[in-house]
Amino acid sequence: MAAVAGVSGPSGVSGPSGGPEPAAAAVRVLIVDDDALVRAGLSMILGGLPDLTVVGEAADGSEVPAAVAAYAPDVVLMDIRMPRVDGLSATEALRAQPHPPEVLVLTTFDADEQVLRALRAGAAGFLLKDTPPAQIVHAVRRVAAGEATLSPTVTRTLIDHVTAAAVSGPVGRDPRRERALRLLADLSERERQVAVALGQGRTNAEIAGELFMSVATVKAYVSRLLTRLDLNNRVQVALLVHDAGLV
């Protein structure tokens, strides 16, 4: 395994430059990418902010378990394409662990099967590698706060991809659709309405207006859906609704 750049270990953690550990309130970020220039660029973008700190780097998905154990990040920026263990496999393994950090996938594609696989595995969203620095910072902060980073527009793009794949796929028994229908059948009528609205890419404010709820009530329903369906974020709810063919 290649050495992971960055901090010295959990008992005496220092930043990538060897300086003192930032305040405990700062969001801890681990960067995983096989391109040293990408890692350096992300470190520069995130490292100078008082509420964010890059605690370490890794060059391959095979290094992720050790890096997460050593540095306890809140957010992992995860490249998809890496030489030994790709970011999708690393994300799936990481999100299967108890109390994992949030994962933001780094990709050069805005909607393909790899991104969908990452989202199904529990990634909180994805960033294109040419995303402007301010948006990268905003995305990391959102994920750290427990929010998905996909805008309704991007969600709809992904959903269109899922729908197109379903239409062009083989005809016959569809285990994914059967599972989705079974899970959604246990919801109350109101929960189902909120789930369908998420599948349509609606924001909390839009759902509140359509269903005559307060935004706080919508947030409570979204949290309840995640718990009942055992999902990580609203994007996974949207994918489940589309798997079921409800939108």
Side-chain angles (χ1 to χ4, degrees):
M1 179 187 299
V4 180
V7 302
S8 59
S11 61
V13 180
S14 63
S17 62
E21 174 70 356
V27 174
R28 302 169 61 83
V29 181
L30 173 69
I31 298 172
V32 184
D33 197 295
D34 64 334
D35 189 328
L37 288 177
V38 171
R39 297 198 306 272
L42 290 170
S43 291
M44 290 180 61
I45 291 169
L46 303 174
L49 300 168
D51 61 329
L52 302 176
T53 179
V54 178
V55 294
E57 300 176 5
D60 190 78
S62 62
E63 301 172 0
V64 169
V68 169
Y71 311 142
D74 302 302
V75 177
V76 177
L77 292 178
M78 183 85 75
D79 187 24
I80 286 183
R81 289 178 171 84
M82 290 180 285
R84 294 190 296 276
V85 176
D86 63 51
L88 299 175
S89 299
T91 296
E92 289 168 345
L94 182 59
R95 293 299 302 175
Q97 299 299 314
H99 311 297
E102 298 293 344
V103 176
L104 265 174
V105 172
L106 296 170
T107 179
T108 55
F109 299 94
D110 60 357
D112 65 9
E113 188 58 38
Q114 291 184 318
V115 172
L116 291 170
R117 178 181 158 193
L119 296 175
R120 291 187 191 279
F126 71 90
L127 292 173
L128 298 178
K129 288 193 174 181
D130 60 356
T131 298
Q135 293 182 25
I136 293 175
V137 171
H138 180 64
V140 171
R141 286 171 174 159
R142 280 178 57 90
V143 167
E147 302 176 29
T149 64
L150 297 182
S151 68
T153 300
V154 175
T155 301
R156 292 183 186 114
T157 301
L158 285 169
I159 295 307
D160 288 344
H161 186 82
V162 174
T163 304
V167 170
S168 62
V171 177
R173 184 173 177 270
D174 185 345
R176 180 172 286 169
R177 182 173 188 273
E178 292 173 359
R179 174 182 175 275
L181 287 171
R182 184 172 65 254
L183 288 172
L184 295 172
D186 292 333
L187 301 180
S188 69
E189 180 61 27
R190 204 57 159 169
E191 289 169 340
R192 190 182 180 91
Q193 290 173 338
V194 172
V196 169
L198 292 176
Q200 294 167 334
R202 301 287 193 264
T203 64
N204 287 345
E206 289 171 338
I207 297 172
E210 292 175 2
L211 299 182
F212 304 102
M213 298 176 173
S214 69
V215 172
T217 300
V218 173
K219 290 181 178 179
Y221 268 100
V222 172
S223 295
R224 190 183 308 169
L225 283 170
L226 296 179
T227 299
R228 294 200 60 183
L229 297 172
D230 193 24
L231 298 175
N232 291 282
N233 54 56
R234 61 196 291 136
V235 178
Q236 286 187 319
V237 177
L239 291 172
L240 188 72
V241 168
H242 275 264
D243 285 343
L246 298 182
V247 291

